[in-house]
Amino acid sequence: MSRSRPGPLDYLARWPLRAWMVATTVFLYSPLLTLMVFSFNNSRRNIVWRGFTLDYYAQVLGDDSLIQAFINSLTIALISTLFSVLLGAATALLLWRFRFPFKAGLEGGLALPIVVPEICMGVALLVFFTKVLPWPTNMVWPFNLGVIIIAHISFSFSFVASVVRARLASFNREQEEAARDLGASEWRTLIDVILPHMRPGLVAGGLLAFTLSLDDFVITFFTSGPDTTTFPVKVYSMIRFSVTPEVNAASTLLIVITVALTAIALRLQGSDGAAATAPH
Amino acid sequence: MTKPAQSIITFENVTKRYGKVIAVDNVSFSISEGEFFALLGPSGCGKTTLLRMVAGFENPDEGRILIDGKDVTDTPPNRRPVNMVFQSYAVFPHMSVRDNVAYGLTVEGVGKAERLRRAEEALALVKLDGYGERKPDQLSGGQRQRVALARALVKRPRVLLLDEPLSALDAKLREQMRFELTQLQEKVGVTFLIVTHDQDEALAMASRCAVMNRGVLQQVGAPSDLYEFPNSRFVADFIGQVNMFEGILSRDDPDRAEITCAELTTPVFLDHGVTGAAGSTLWIAIRPEKIELKGRKDGEAKPIMEDAPEGANVEPGFIRHISYLGSESVYEVDLTSGRRIKALRSNLTRWDQEDFQVDQPVWLAWHACSPAVLLS
Ligand SMILES: Nc1ncnc2c1ncn2[C@@H]1O[C@H](COP(=O)(O)OP(=O)(O)OP(=O)(O)O)[C@@H](O)[C@H]1O
Ligand SMILES: [Mg+2]
């Protein structure tokens, strides 16, 4: 073959590009790797390697307040994901299906929690829940987490709605009409035909909502109280004194859990995403 | 053919508007039980809209639609005794072929054994036996269409609605499906209402057609009626090929008429009377295959058509172009007025195609009963 201009993928074979890729990989993954490695380091000072130990994991698992924070985080993430998916899916369906006044406004407003700086959201929610709608303190677990859950739903449902809305755009309306034509009621059509099409969007949106909630710091920091610490907030309070191996160990656990959940969800999405996007 | 008496779908002054666009304009006609009825017309003429109103996805702004004599205006699509094959087939991608076909029965609440039996039956009907386990993405376009057909037929509808069912298939498959659809219709005996913009398709399959133009119903009739007795310039032109001349009714008796056309040297003679005021403008349409070609030499007398007065219905011209199509040849002939017209001649023997050459002078002749007179 004669020499020709390289195609876009050929550039990957050139050395500047390779160097650049190596650099990104290093800067992206080496901090994480360091964190994980030092969680096994048998030394209180995180500087030199002093041998392997699982002591800090034992300490983390023995630390009641850390475990409580962890359980809080998971509970908040689960409940807020559930509601975000329900609300987000309903909103997406509404925007996709119907025409109504101020629709454009609602669609724009939906993007607000995505673009508004998180710190502002945090302050706004703090003011709202202390001044406008005070959430009763000293409620029993898990109702004391209500404020945080509502705060998380309020920003993550719009992510779900956006993802599901995008998925619905590829729906062939003739399928809905076909179901109606074959005798299905509107509800039946929604359940039998539209929901299966939405599913990859629901999974992706749910995943997004879950991880957003699990690792949210800023908004949670403003809305959590002494009894309602979440894992990120707890970690933050721990490193205010020093970065201890316990923090490393706890963070490693969080990373592993998040990655595992993501993998599972992506796998779920992959299997029926393929079927749902087949050419019709 | 015996004419079935029972009317199964009746359109009564049906009008549908989208904003300022009148998609369907005061349409009235009815379809009888057992017919293979085609809605024919150019793109955007309102065929799909009419079909969707039967299915219940749109409602008429004015007028009403009767199915089996009952006004269905307030009946939602899921309660109408009609089923539709969609243009995109709309097969449910997440269900197996069997579940797709059985879907209508599932929502109806038909028991499982009965459901499966009828689904298999329907699959066999469209020659898809053994495909039940497959997912739609493992089927070809033609097979997906068969699934859509089976899925609609399994409900035993009173009328099967098909929107451009053949448009997405390749030429060869289209040809075959035309045949299969007519066979299927004879087999199941269900009334078919099919939408198409392909006149060949409509003529080949339908027992009756309705021709629409810009929302207005132009003519309803058997394919041969539409072809031989069009009621307007639009229908004459839309169905098949035609040579059209504008003229003035110069003579009108009960058993004969003459129309003077500026583009022809002699008036067109007709062996029947015309409904129209003397002196009014009208049009005549002559199909290419109804024009006879005869060789012409200089100084030779005009040939005489036995069913017309001397000189009438014969025109001199020159062949300008010949398209040899195997079974027939199309001759494009310039008249002395400069008007170009088409004549079609079957190649009855292997030497017929050599009878005429380009630039040869010829006579064009037609019988007094061949031209169609059009008032609009
Ligand atoms: N939902 C709609 N909203 C607005 N206008 C519409 C709608 N559906 C159809 N129309 C208009 O109504 C007219 C008839 O449309 P219709 O789809 O019935 O045409 P058609 O005969 O099926 O054409 P084609 O052969 O291209 O499918 C067109 O002018 C079209 O633009
Ligand atoms: Mg159409």
Side-chain angles (χ1 to χ4, degrees), chain A residues 204-222:
Chain A
L207 190 64
L208 210 56
F210 189 81
T211 48
L212 278 173
S213 165
L214 199 61
D215 67 6
D216 179 74
F217 175 75
V218 179
I219 289 175
T220 317
F221 185 73
F222 281 95

Side-chain angles (χ1 to χ4, degrees), chain A residues 49-72:
Chain A
W49 182 256
R50 285 272 162 74
F52 182 85
T53 178
L54 286 175
D55 285 355
Y56 299 111
Y57 283 89
Q59 278 181 32
V60 163
L61 295 178
D63 182 341
D64 283 344
S65 65
L66 198 60
I67 294 290
Q68 184 57 50
F70 195 71
I71 290 174
N72 282 349

Side-chain angles (χ1 to χ4, degrees), chain B residues 153-368:
Chain B
L153 282 172
V154 84
K155 296 269 292 178
R156 299 180 183 150
R158 294 283 289 142
V159 183
L160 185 71
L161 310 172
L162 303 105
D163 191 2
E164 309 257 4
L166 307 184
S167 61
L169 305 178
D170 65 58
K172 184 108 194 189
L173 196 56
R174 199 178 312 171
E175 198 72 25
Q176 185 195 336
M177 275 311 282
R178 266 187 206 176
F179 175 69
E180 283 195 24
L181 275 179
T182 43
Q183 272 208 322
L184 188 65
Q185 198 257 346
E186 277 166 27
K187 203 153 147 193
V188 296
V190 170
T191 309
F192 277 33
L193 173 53
I194 182 172
V195 159
T196 175
H197 61 259
D198 183 337
Q199 40 131 340
D200 288 337
E201 210 168 282
L203 296 192
M205 293 193 293
S207 56
R208 234 151 50 98
C209 303
V211 182
M212 291 180 67
N213 183 30
R214 298 184 187 183
V216 179
L217 183 69
Q218 294 284 339
Q219 189 171 0
V220 183
S224 59
D225 288 343
L226 299 179
Y227 188 80
E228 307 292 4
F229 305 98
N231 66 1
S232 60
R233 278 179 292 162
F234 176 81
V235 175
D237 195 40
F238 188 73
I239 311 248
Q241 300 229 319
V242 76
N243 299 296
M244 198 108 58
F245 300 93
E246 186 176 324
I248 286 171
L249 185 58
S250 49
R251 174 172 180 180
D252 186 16
D253 294 330
D255 60 344
R256 56 190 292 162
E258 274 177 22
I259 294 163
T260 310
C261 303
E263 289 168 327
L264 299 175
T265 55
T266 51
V268 174
F269 177 83
L270 302 166
D271 63 359
H272 56 83
V274 173
T275 48
S280 61
T281 301
L282 34 69
W283 292 266
I284 63 159
I286 315 177
R287 301 281 182 198
E289 76 280 2
K290 295 184 172 60
I291 296 180
E292 223 177 299
L293 282 178
K294 298 174 197 279
R296 171 165 70 96
K297 293 193 186 67
D298 276 342
E300 192 191 52
K302 218 175 180 184
I304 294 172
M305 290 303 281
E306 62 277 16
D307 58 4
E310 194 178 321
N313 295 358
V314 181
E315 288 287 322
F318 289 91
I319 295 178
R320 291 302 181 213
H321 189 262
I322 302 176
S323 316
Y324 171 70
L325 302 176
S327 60
E328 62 210 17
S329 295
V330 177
Y331 299 87
E332 290 182 39
V333 180
D334 278 355
L335 300 178
T336 47
S337 63
R339 169 72 192 273
R340 178 165 291 194
I341 70 173
K342 277 187 181 150
L344 194 134
R345 189 165 180 260
S346 293
N347 294 319
L348 298 175
T349 75
R350 289 193 285 165
W351 301 106
D352 276 17
Q353 33 116 2
E354 295 187 0
D355 290 351
F356 296 99
Q357 268 75 45
V358 172
D359 287 337
Q360 183 179 340
V362 287
W363 295 108
L364 299 170
W366 56 88
H367 288 285

